[in-house]
Amino acid sequence: MPAPQTTHVDPVLTGISVEYTNAEYVAKKLFPVATVAAPAGQYVKYSKKNKFKVGKYIVTANSQVPQVDWVSSFDNYSVEYHGVKKPISEIANQWAASGAGQVQSLEVYTTKFLKNLLLLEYESAVATLATTTASYGSNHDSPSTSWNESGATVIADVKDAIASCAKRPNTMVIGRQVYDKITEDSNILARIQYSERGIITPDLLGALFDIPNVFVASAQEEVGGDYLWGDNVVLAYVEPNIGPEILTFGLTFSPDGEDFIRSYRDETIGRGAQVIESHWAYDVVVVAQEAGYLLNDLMADGS
């Protein structure tokens, strides 16, 4: 085991890890990170009655101003700690020094490799939560006509889902297999036929539905494997500025804020090795079911 004084957070490699992103991952777009002071705790949930109830507040000459109140409750979060490591032996460094196919340092390559493993695990956790109907209360539907069948009503289905949300969604996550199918939808193509090249893109879908952030979720369990987000579409309002008293579909509670990298020497490996570890602690929570809507099982045969 390395001595405690030789184990430290590496700010340089942490910076590389934080900056490294995979274009296929969309989880943080839907569940932004909320930095918390403790690994477990409570957060306040305000009732939708606070802001979504029309009233009459007329004051007459002899009446008092009507008293109103807000309703709140508490819910819990509890993070789990995740981490992976990879030693870089002196023997490996000697081979790397030869320059054979090496385009970046082993430390940088290893940092990105470890970061990707944690990101993939996180993406899977978010995709599982976000494509489960229980995460939405009654805000979910599987259209009677699948989107890969004749007579599909993609535009109407999405607009009905938007209308069911407590706040108009600003984020749309489309499973890759669904996206590939709706790019061939005749009704959508008719709407964009006079745009440049007449090809459906995420930006054009965003303009069609008045949703500024449209993401195609393409992450797979393995090369050629199933897509993590399945044949689903998630609509949600995601607050761009995380803070108190916000309405947002979900959050990633993390005492780290982002993941971090630490490194240390381990002389028991080979001829000695530099060990790189990637760490991240988080809990993914749906905090406002009414701010999201799930269109699920959109393909007749699941493909």
Side-chain angles (χ1 to χ4, degrees):
M1 291 290 293
Q5 64 268 23
T6 65
T7 302
H8 67 283
V9 175
D10 192 315
V12 175
L13 294 180
T14 294
I16 292 171
S17 175
V18 170
E19 292 173 5
Y20 176 72
T21 58
N22 188 316
E24 306 293 340
Y25 297 151
V26 300
K28 286 184 182 179
K29 306 295 185 182
L30 191 62
F31 286 74
V33 174
T35 304
V36 291
Q42 294 183 316
Y43 62 95
V44 179
K45 295 186 70 173
Y46 294 94
S47 169
K48 62 182 179 181
K49 295 179 181 179
N50 295 340
K51 296 182 178 180
F52 296 94
K53 184 178 181 180
V54 176
K56 292 184 178 180
Y57 308 116
I58 298 172
V59 181
T60 65
N62 297 314
S63 68
Q64 294 185 351
V65 173
Q67 180 175 313
V68 297
D69 202 357
W70 42 260
V71 181
S72 66
S73 60
F74 290 91
D75 214 336
N76 303 305
Y77 72 86
S78 180
V79 307
E80 291 183 327
Y81 288 81
H82 306 255
V84 286
K85 68 179 180 181
K86 174 73 171 71
I88 306 171
S89 69
E90 288 301 322
I91 296 174
N93 271 323
Q94 289 178 357
W95 280 105
S98 69
Q102 190 67 30
V103 295
Q104 57 186 332
S105 73
L106 286 182
E107 287 83 1
V108 171
Y109 181 85
T110 300
T111 297
K112 292 181 177 181
F113 167 72
L114 297 175
K115 166 80 168 186
N116 184 72
L117 292 179
L118 291 187
L119 279 176
L120 183 59
E121 180 191 33
Y122 170 70
E123 185 83 6
S124 178
V126 171
T128 298
L129 183 62
T131 59
T132 299
T133 57
S135 297
Y136 296 84
S138 61
N139 272 14
H140 61 85
D141 185 37
S142 180
S144 56
T145 303
S146 299
W147 286 8
N148 58 343
E149 292 182 325
S150 175
T153 54
V154 176
I155 296 175
D157 293 341
V158 172
K159 288 187 175 181
D160 286 346
I162 290 172
S164 298
C165 295
K167 189 169 184 176
R168 186 176 185 87
N170 61 0
T171 302
M172 183 178 190
V173 176
I174 309 173
R176 166 55 69 175
Q177 64 211 76
V178 177
Y179 178 77
D180 289 344
K181 181 54 62 175
I182 64 176
T183 56
E184 302 171 359
D185 183 82
S186 58
N187 292 320
I188 295 179
L189 286 168
R191 298 289 186 95
I192 61 95
Q193 60 182 318
Y194 299 112
S195 63
E196 183 180 358
R197 295 184 294 175
I199 298 174
I200 296 174
T201 64
D203 286 343
L204 285 175
L205 287 175
L208 175 62
F209 296 118
D210 191 22
I211 296 178
N213 306 309
V214 177
F215 305 103
V216 180
S218 301
Q220 295 172 280
E221 295 178 358
E222 58 184 349
V223 176
D226 293 336
Y227 291 109
L228 294 180
W229 291 81
D231 57 339
N232 305 287
V233 168
V234 175
L235 296 158
Y237 180 76
V238 179
E239 172 59 47
N241 301 305
I242 304 304
E245 300 182 12
I246 61 172
L247 176 67
T248 195
F249 174 63
L251 290 171
T252 301
F253 292 99
S254 175
D256 301 332
E258 292 283 350
D259 56 343
F260 65 90
I261 302 295
R262 69 173 190 164
S263 63
Y264 54 86
R265 290 285 301 176
D266 188 339
E267 301 300 339
T268 68
I269 300 176
R271 297 168 64 181
Q274 187 74 11
V275 180
I276 309 296
E277 292 186 358
S278 181
H279 293 262
W280 194 16
Y282 59 83
D283 186 17
V284 182
V285 180
V286 172
V287 298
Q289 292 180 328
E290 300 89 349
Y293 198 99
L294 174 66
L295 289 163
N296 62 299
D297 299 331
L298 295 172
M299 299 295 158
D301 58 359
S303 62

